[in-house]
Amino acid sequence: MSKTNRTAMVYEQLKARIESGYYSPAESLPEVELANEYDVSRNTIKKALLMLENDAYVTVELNKGAKVRSYSKKEVMDYLQLRVELEGFIVRLAVPCFTDADIAQLETLFSQMGQRREANDLLGYSALNQQFHSIIYSVCPNKTATDLLIRLKSQMRKYNGKTILVPNRDEKSYAEHKEILDAIQARDIVAAEASVRKHIESVRKTFDDYFALLF
């Protein structure tokens, strides 16, 4: 494997660990330990960490090394404020482009979300929730907007799935997704945008109310 491929491999695996929550926010990422774990040179680790810093997954300080980037409550709230605008914009453009097959996919996912909720599998519900939104992004014709949102969500992925663990949040989330689905089925642009904005604002309020508990 070439040096470039080894760097890319380390980058992807570290990114996946950060996104999954394997590493905690502000956790140190020692170059020597990572080099031994991945059986690569320290220089390869250094390059991968710089790539992660460029993509806002880690912070690298001189003489202190790399740490998983952590976000303050204000940063998370600012991110969600931006997400309200982006999600509303994306669904507004997406609704006219939905085919019957696209809507059928949303209906299937929503049904599966209900099953996961009834089984009290909230993490499974959260994963399906992400897929539900991904269908909307895939239909939207403005790929610049969707790429930006997906990148932001990837950076915040370790935070995104936690709100579902708040008591009664699953009930609210399920009802909010029902409103989104109903609006898309009706191909009602105004209602779809309003329901998506309402949903993300609800997520934002949950973070505001429970941030100390979640983190």
Side-chain angles (χ1 to χ4, degrees):
M1 185 183 293
S2 70
K3 291 182 179 180
T4 300
N5 287 340
R6 285 197 293 269
T7 301
M9 178 271 292
V10 173
Y11 165 83
E12 290 295 341
Q13 292 192 20
L14 288 175
K15 183 175 77 167
R17 284 183 171 186
I18 293 169
E19 290 179 349
S20 70
Y22 178 90
Y23 293 123
S24 301
E27 182 172 347
S28 294
L29 300 172
E31 292 178 10
V32 174
E33 291 181 16
L34 291 173
N36 290 334
E37 178 179 356
Y38 287 102
D39 193 24
V40 297
S41 70
R42 189 169 175 179
N43 191 49
T44 295
I45 295 297
K46 191 182 297 290
K47 288 178 180 178
L49 291 172
L50 288 174
M51 291 168 63
L52 289 165
E53 181 184 35
N54 184 60
D55 289 341
Y57 285 95
V58 306
T59 57
V60 180
E61 296 182 42
L62 187 64
N63 299 323
K64 291 186 178 180
K67 290 184 178 181
V68 177
R69 180 170 178 180
S70 60
Y71 292 86
S72 66
K73 179 179 179 180
K74 183 181 186 306
E75 287 174 314
V76 173
M77 296 301 289
D78 287 349
Y79 150 73
L80 288 167
Q81 185 178 39
L82 177 58
R83 190 177 159 195
V84 170
E85 300 302 321
L86 282 172
E87 295 259 11
F89 175 75
I90 286 168
V91 78
R92 186 168 75 241
L93 297 184
V95 169
C97 301
F98 267 94
T99 65
D100 291 342
D102 295 325
I103 292 175
Q105 281 187 283
L106 286 182
E107 291 168 344
T108 298
L109 284 168
F110 182 74
S111 175
Q112 293 171 345
M113 287 165 65
Q115 293 169 11
R116 292 297 90 214
R117 180 171 169 258
E118 289 177 7
N120 201 34
D121 178 8
L122 298 183
L123 294 180
Y125 174 94
S126 183
L128 291 167
N129 176 359
Q130 296 300 318
Q131 293 180 44
F132 184 97
H133 287 275
S134 292
I135 295 296
I136 299 173
Y137 307 156
S138 70
V139 173
C140 177
N142 189 322
K143 298 310 175 187
T144 300
T146 56
D147 287 349
L148 174 59
L149 179 58
I150 290 168
R151 177 168 175 165
L152 286 169
K153 288 183 71 173
S154 292
Q155 293 170 4
M156 305 293 288
R157 188 169 296 174
K158 58 183 173 289
Y159 297 91
N160 291 333
K162 291 191 174 183
T163 56
I164 198 62
L165 303 177
V166 170
N168 300 319
R169 176 58 201 160
D170 61 312
E171 180 180 353
K172 294 179 181 177
S173 172
Y174 189 69
E176 289 159 10
H177 283 84
K178 180 65 165 63
E179 288 185 21
I180 295 170
L181 178 59
D182 287 346
I184 291 174
Q185 287 172 324
R187 291 180 167 78
D188 186 330
I189 296 173
V190 174
E193 180 175 359
S195 60
V196 164
R197 284 175 169 270
K198 174 184 174 183
H199 168 54
I200 307 302
E201 285 286 7
S202 179
V203 172
R204 190 167 185 263
K205 185 178 187 305
T206 301
F207 267 106
D208 193 24
D209 292 343
Y210 291 92
F211 193 86
L213 176 64
L214 292 170
F215 301 103

